[in-house]
Amino acid sequence: MMDKIQPKSTEGGTMSALKIIGIDLAKTNFYLFIINELGKPTEKIKLTRTRLLNWLAQKPQTIVAMEACGASHHWACEIKKLGHQVVLLPAQHVRAYQRRQKNDYNDAQAIAEACQHGAIRPVPVKTLEQQDLQTFLKMRQLVSMERTQLINHVRGLLAEYGIVLNKGATELRQKLPALLEDAENGLTDVMRALLHRQLIRLTALGDELEWYNSEQKKYVRHDPVCQRLLEIPGFGPLVSQAIKSWMGDGKQFNRGRDASAALGLVPRQFSTGGKQVLLGITKRGNAWVRSMLIHGSRAVLFRTGGKTDPLSVWVNRIREKRGFNRAVVALANKLLRIAWVIIARHEVYTPVMMKNQ
């Protein structure tokens, strides 16, 4: 995608480039900063939300750069329909191009100059299907978090009355009705009424989460990419769908290591004076997707003891030298690289067996 942004040779031998328009998105008013074909700032303009597309429709083909933020994928799709090239840039990398005081015009200038520099890997524009998948995962995550918060809330309140329950939704759903019926546990009528309402909420959240899980299994069952991802150790329906939603078609990465770096699974460097120092992982990118992948890798590592396939032998050797947690992260790094090959190159996971097997 970035190749289209670089200057192109004309038949006369001179170099020409497209104009770059940096847009600072907002809810109502958009601020634009324009860099001409020679790379010089030429204009800055303020447009309302309703005027933006009409203004761009009157312009010749140009490069429109925006930060990858809320509603940016919607605007990117609409602007691409007008014939313009759209570049979405990660907001954390655009920040380095900001100078002077922070205001909307300076933000738009930083976006345009970051696009002009061409060193930042752009964010792929999501299709409506990809946005639907991402929305599904976010809603499921919200329901799961609400249920966990409710469980911890009720357990904490019961502990104040001397009733201690084990962790987990099953424990609370099974024992809470009995606590409400027990007249000798010291709970007041007010507390019983409050707990009854919380039990209704817990049941409703559990049923809603089951619906999301059921729909997730249906999607994975009929999606060819997720079906191939399921063959990877530690990849269940949730991890497969999360990795597909985050990675897309994988074409934005040149290799699997780039995908691992984007998800924050590579060591953080603090090197100077020719001395290389590697610290913990960078933890960049989507924290929830990374945590799902880590959980899947941990489940695999729990079951690698005694296995002789190359992957198990490799990760067991790391566990012996570096410990369990580092082995989990190393395995997550390798599994993500495998997932990138499966998604970007449309390959199928075929585990390599030992020669003596």
Side-chain angles (χ1 to χ4, degrees), residues 2 11 14 21 31 51 59 97 116 176 209-210 218 224 240 249 269 277 309 311:
M2 294 303 295
E11 295 181 358
T14 59
I21 301 176
Y31 294 82
R51 291 183 56 199
K59 300 298 179 181
Y97 290 85
Q116 181 187 29
L176 194 54
L209 187 59
E210 285 297 324
K218 291 179 183 178
S240 300
D249 59 4
Q269 290 190 7
V277 179
D309 60 280
L311 183 64

Side-chain angles (χ1 to χ4, degrees), residues 296-317:
S297 303
R298 184 179 292 109
V300 173
L301 193 56
F302 277 129
R303 294 167 175 80
T304 56
K307 293 185 178 181
T308 57
D309 60 280
L311 183 64
S312 299
V313 172
W314 171 79
V315 74
N316 285 332
R317 185 167 61 248

Side-chain angles (χ1 to χ4, degrees), residues 153-315:
H153 178 68
V154 173
R155 288 181 64 247
L157 292 176
L158 287 174
E160 296 293 332
Y161 289 80
I163 301 174
V164 179
L165 300 179
N166 295 328
K167 296 180 180 179
T170 304
E171 174 81 4
L172 188 61
R173 292 185 64 174
Q174 290 179 351
K175 294 191 175 181
L176 194 54
L179 290 175
L180 295 176
E181 297 294 334
D182 187 2
E184 300 179 357
N185 54 19
L187 295 178
T188 64
D189 293 338
V190 174
M191 183 61 178
R192 292 178 193 276
L194 295 174
L195 287 178
H196 177 69
R197 300 185 67 85
Q198 300 308 309
L199 178 60
I200 295 175
R201 288 185 59 200
L202 180 62
T203 302
L205 288 173
D207 294 341
E208 188 173 359
L209 187 59
E210 285 297 324
W211 179 85
Y212 279 102
N213 292 337
S214 176
E215 292 297 315
Q216 188 174 68
K217 292 178 181 178
K218 291 179 183 178
Y219 178 89
V220 172
R221 193 182 306 121
H222 295 92
D223 185 77
V225 175
C226 290
Q227 283 295 306
R228 297 199 305 271
L229 290 176
L230 286 176
E231 300 298 325
I232 305 176
F235 274 59
L238 178 58
V239 177
S240 300
Q241 196 177 40
I243 292 297
K244 181 194 174 183
S245 172
W246 173 77
M247 190 177 296
D249 59 4
K251 301 300 183 182
Q252 69 273 31
F253 304 117
N254 295 325
R255 53 182 178 170
R257 192 184 186 282
D258 294 339
S260 298
L263 198 58
L265 290 172
V266 297
R268 180 165 54 91
Q269 290 190 7
F270 190 81
S271 304
T272 183
K275 181 180 180 181
Q276 292 189 358
V277 179
L278 298 181
L279 306 174
I281 59 175
T282 62
K283 295 185 179 180
R284 293 180 177 177
N286 193 308
W288 180 76
V289 175
R290 184 174 59 252
S291 67
M292 293 297 102
L293 184 60
I294 292 290
H295 290 326
S297 303
R298 184 179 292 109
V300 173
L301 193 56
F302 277 129
R303 294 167 175 80
T304 56
K307 293 185 178 181
T308 57
D309 60 280
L311 183 64
S312 299
V313 172
W314 171 79
V315 74

Side-chain angles (χ1 to χ4, degrees), residues 35-36 38 83 95 99 105 118 132 148 152 156 169 181-182 184 195 203 225 239 248 283 316 336 348 353:
I35 298 177
N36 65 12
L38 301 177
R95 191 176 299 115
R99 300 188 301 273
Y105 284 122
D132 289 343
T148 301
N152 294 335
E181 297 294 334
D182 187 2
E184 300 179 357
L195 287 178
T203 302
V225 175
V239 177
K283 295 185 179 180
N316 285 332
L336 185 61
V348 178
M353 304 305 294

Side-chain angles (χ1 to χ4, degrees), residues 1 5 18-25 32-33 52-53 55-57 59-67 72 75-76 79-80 82-89 111-112 115 125:
M1 183 175 182
I5 302 174
L18 293 176
K19 183 185 297 184
I20 298 176
I21 301 176
I23 302 180
D24 182 40
L25 298 176
L32 288 69
F33 191 91
L52 177 64
L53 294 180
W55 185 84
L56 288 173
K59 300 298 179 181
Q61 183 185 21
T62 185
I63 299 171
V64 179
M66 299 177 289
E67 286 183 338
S72 61
W75 287 109
I79 294 173
K80 287 177 67 176
L82 301 177
H84 300 294
Q85 299 180 31
V86 179
V87 179
L88 298 182
L89 300 174
I111 295 171
C115 179
V125 179

